[in-house]
Each structure stands twice: as structure tokens, then as C-alpha cells.
Amino acid sequence: MAPSASRIVALDALRGAGILGILAVHIQLFAMPVAARANPTVYGDLRGADGAAWLATYALADGKFIAIFAMLFGAGIAMQAARNEAAGVPAALRHYRRMAALLLIGILHAYLLWYGDMLVMFALCGAQVFLYRALLPARLMIAGVVMFSVAPFLISALAWTAPDVVAQAVALSHPSREELAREVAAYRGGWLLQQAHRAPTAWAFETSHFVLRSVWQIGGLMLLGMGLFRLGVLSGDRSSRWYAALAAGGFGAGIPLVLWGAHRSFAHGWDSRDYMLVGVHLDYWGNLLVGLGWIGAILLLHRGGLVPSAVVAVGRTALSNYLLATVLCTTVFYGHGLGLFGSVERVGQLAVVAIIWVIQLVVSPWWLGRFAMGPVEWLLRWATLGRRVPIRLTAAEPAA
């Protein structure tokens, strides 16, 4: 059965909140050396308000909103496949054309603008999990949890058996002052100077990091999202009490795990081997639980009519807003713009996030009052269908 309009609004409410929330995490990679994400003590101030800003982001956002996106991506695969098959259209052809187009957008994004791109891994994992879309919801969820579970145990196994991998992790999370200085200089420079750091970092994310973690984490979450969508969870069909319980359980169980992981990391000096053995399990499962808590909270607010329409508009144009955030952030922090890389502390970074939120919340509804979809969504639809579709709203069409 095709989802109703109200269910689509619920998904867009989740996407909108997710695209806004994930920027609070990604801003660290835009503004500071990459090692500061894995080890916040290597760069920047953690005292006072800056420390509180880092802790709040770490506990409530880091790893949580990408989990939401991955589950929503899986839900979208299930929904679109069902619609195409109900209409007698070959679902596989359209799906793989869409994943190929998304992969191309992700590669351009990663290598021309920002190494932290997540579209490449979403396209690769989306191509894989499509094969399992017909499983019963319970089997989808079991398969998702099993696949999701592989990554932390694989990382811990490597900590015991592969000292060279541990040494590499130490080098990445504890760079020398000279390495940090070179990275700061690169991103304060022009595009070509940035490319010397951006290209190899993007390649590492898309190869070793993908094989060790992303394929299991993102693929498992997509399968879980398919199951949750088919059970009516992500579409907003459960009761308010059900979503309140999901929010309370997710936050109540997940936040203590994440805080325990942070406390342990500080106590062990952000030791890479200890993190691979213990900390990764606390963060990994804590992030999923908090992500589920956010889903419960957002859908509970949606049922009460408390999610602003501007947030829903951001969700309807999520891909365009994701790329817009990259353009704005690189303009602020990189040398081809204001060149503020490495000079803005965490509270200041969140101020930049707030400004970009305002832009997205104003521009998205304005755009949808005139066009049927976001500009990048339109290109993706064109590539998926193999033909250009109208983007402008006519006088007879309602705004999205």
C-alpha cells in the first residue's frame, strides 16, 4: 500500500530535523583538523562554554543523526520500490540509476568540495540492501541488527590481532603539531592547496573506513529502517504514547552509554587501542539508541503539530540543503572564502550553524512555494527516470 500524504510529511519532518542536526556535527570537520573529531583534545579549547558545546554535540548529535538518515534512506528504498512495483515499473532499474547518480554527486562533492561526504557510502550501501527489500519486516530488522553489529566487533578484533592498524589509528588521532599546521595551512589556502589534503582523506573514508565500519553500520541501519517503515514506525502511524516511550527509552539508555564512553576516553587519554576494544561499543550502540530517541521525540512533536512547516520544507529538499551547507561552510572556513579554518572555537562554530539554519529555514519554504522539488533532487529525479521532469509549479499545482 502506498503511503499517505501524512506519512510522507512524517518522513520529511524527520529528514528536516536530521539535516539541521547533522550540521552541528559536521561543522567540526569544516572548521578544524580532521583528527579533532576522533580526539577533541588535539585541537581547540575544551574549557568552559567550548567544552560544554563539545559535550552536548557529542552526547546528542554526533553519530545520532547519520543513524536517522541511514534508516530514512532504507525507508525511502522500500517506499519507492513498492510504488514502482505497484505501478508495474521495473523497480530495480530505477533504483540502480538513482544510486549511480547519487554516487556521482557524492564523488564530486567529496573530491571537489569536502572530504566528509556521506553520499558515496549511502549510494554503495543502498545498492546492496535493495536486494533484501522483500523480506518480512521482522527479518529485515533482525538482519539489520546483525549487520550493524559486525563493525564494533571487527574493530575490536583488529585491536587484538593487527598492531599495524592500531598504529595507524594512533597516528590519525594523535597527529603532530607539524601535521596539524600543514592541514590548517592547506585549508586556509586556495582550492589546489586544499586538494592535497582533501583527496587522500576522502579516499581513506571511502575505502578503509568504509570496509571496516561504514558498510556494516550504514547498511545495517538501512535494513533496520526498511523494517521500521514497513511496521509504521517511521511513517508516524504509532500512538503518541508509543513514540513517547521510544524517546524516553532511547535517550534514557543511550545518553549514559555515550557519556560513559566519553568519560573513559578522557580517563585513558583518548588511547586508540582502548577505544577500539571498549569505547567503540559504548559509542556505537549509544549512538543508535539516542538516534531512536530522536525519532520518537520528533514524531511525537509531529503528531502534536509542533514541527514547523519550515523544518518539513528542509526535509523535502534535504539533498539540496546538505550540499548547500557544504558550500556555505567551505566559504566561511576555507581559503577561497573567509579562510577561518582552525581559528573558530566550538561555540563560534555553533553560531555559524545557527546562521546556516536560518538560511535553510527561510530559503527552503520560499523555494518550494515556486518549485516542485529542490534543484539537486530535480537532477536526481531526471537521472532516475531518464527524462527531464517539470520543476516549476504551475498555477494549478499546490506548493509542496
Side-chain angles (χ1 to χ4, degrees):
M1 182 177 67
S4 67
S6 63
R7 293 180 184 180
I8 294 174
V9 172
L11 291 173
D12 285 331
L14 285 170
R15 287 192 193 98
I19 207 72
L20 296 171
I22 204 166
L23 181 58
V25 179
H26 287 168
I27 195 70
Q28 301 170 78
L29 294 178
F30 285 116
M32 306 174 81
V34 63
R37 175 79 181 281
N39 178 2
T41 65
V42 301
Y43 201 92
D45 191 0
L46 287 177
R47 296 171 298 178
D50 288 306
W54 174 83
L55 184 60
T57 302
Y58 189 81
L60 297 175
D62 199 343
K64 289 73 174 172
F65 289 107
I66 195 170
I68 295 174
F69 270 118
M71 286 186 274
L72 289 174
F73 200 88
I77 291 172
M79 180 173 64
Q80 291 172 18
R83 285 179 171 176
N84 287 328
E85 289 165 352
V89 176
L93 176 61
R94 287 190 172 179
H95 175 76
Y96 286 111
R97 290 181 66 159
R98 181 168 176 258
M99 293 302 101
L102 192 66
L103 178 64
L104 176 59
I105 294 171
I107 290 172
L108 294 174
H109 180 224
Y111 288 93
L112 299 182
L113 294 174
W114 180 53
Y115 61 80
D117 167 80
M118 64 182 188
L119 301 179
V120 169
M121 64 180 178
F122 270 56
L124 294 175
C125 292
Q128 177 188 22
V129 303
F130 179 79
L131 302 173
Y132 306 99
R133 68 193 184 281
L135 292 177
L136 293 173
R139 292 187 177 183
L140 280 169
M141 294 181 66
I142 292 171
V145 171
V146 170
M147 187 174 185
F148 181 79
S149 303
V150 171
F153 290 104
L154 178 59
I155 291 169
S156 292
L158 289 172
W160 283 108
T161 61
D164 55 327
V165 175
V166 177
Q168 185 179 18
V170 171
L172 291 173
S173 60
H174 295 77
S176 67
R177 290 187 177 183
E178 291 75 16
E179 290 171 317
L180 292 171
R182 283 196 296 270
E183 184 175 348
V184 171
Y187 287 108
R188 288 182 182 175
W191 184 86
L192 285 176
L193 191 59
Q194 299 163 23
Q195 196 70 358
H197 182 274
R198 176 168 48 235
T201 307
W203 178 252
F205 280 178
E206 293 166 6
T207 53
S208 57
H209 188 271
F210 180 79
V211 171
L212 291 179
R213 180 163 180 157
S214 298
V215 65
W216 310 105
Q217 178 186 20
I218 303 302
L221 288 167
M222 286 181 182
L223 291 173
L224 186 60
M226 285 183 184
L228 290 173
F229 175 73
R230 298 259 296 275
L231 291 173
V233 174
L234 297 181
S235 51
D237 289 345
R238 296 302 181 100
S239 67
S240 296
R241 180 177 295 180
W242 199 94
Y243 288 118
L246 180 62
F251 289 134
I255 290 176
L257 283 178
V258 174
L259 293 178
W260 183 11
H263 173 75
R264 184 180 180 91
S265 292
F266 276 111
H268 288 77
W270 292 86
D271 178 73
S272 297
R273 188 171 188 273
D274 181 77
Y275 179 82
M276 294 172 70
L277 289 172
V278 180
V280 65
H281 299 277
L282 301 174
D283 282 349
Y284 197 80
W285 292 102
N287 290 344
L288 173 60
L289 291 169
V290 177
L292 291 171
W294 276 119
I295 288 174
I298 294 164
L299 291 179
L300 183 63
L301 292 172
H302 170 69
R303 289 181 66 87
L306 298 176
V307 176
S309 60
V311 173
V312 176
V314 170
R316 290 187 185 275
T317 54
L319 180 56
S320 296
N321 273 297
Y322 173 66
L323 297 175
L324 173 63
T326 292
V327 172
L328 294 175
C329 286
T330 52
T331 301
V332 170
F333 293 108
Y334 286 6
H336 60 262
L338 299 180
L340 298 179
F341 187 85
S343 62
V344 180
E345 293 292 350
R346 289 173 171 86
V347 170
Q349 293 169 25
L350 293 183
V352 174
V353 168
I355 293 170
I356 294 176
W357 283 352
V358 171
I359 294 172
Q360 292 174 320
L361 290 168
V362 170
V363 170
S364 298
W366 175 87
W367 179 273
L368 289 176
R370 293 156 179 80
F371 300 94
M373 63 195 78
V376 188
E377 285 80 2
W378 176 68
L379 291 173
L380 189 61
R381 181 76 62 88
W382 187 351
T384 300
L385 300 179
R387 56 181 172 81
R388 188 169 62 179
V389 297
I391 186 173
R392 285 188 173 275
L393 293 173
T394 66
E397 291 177 312

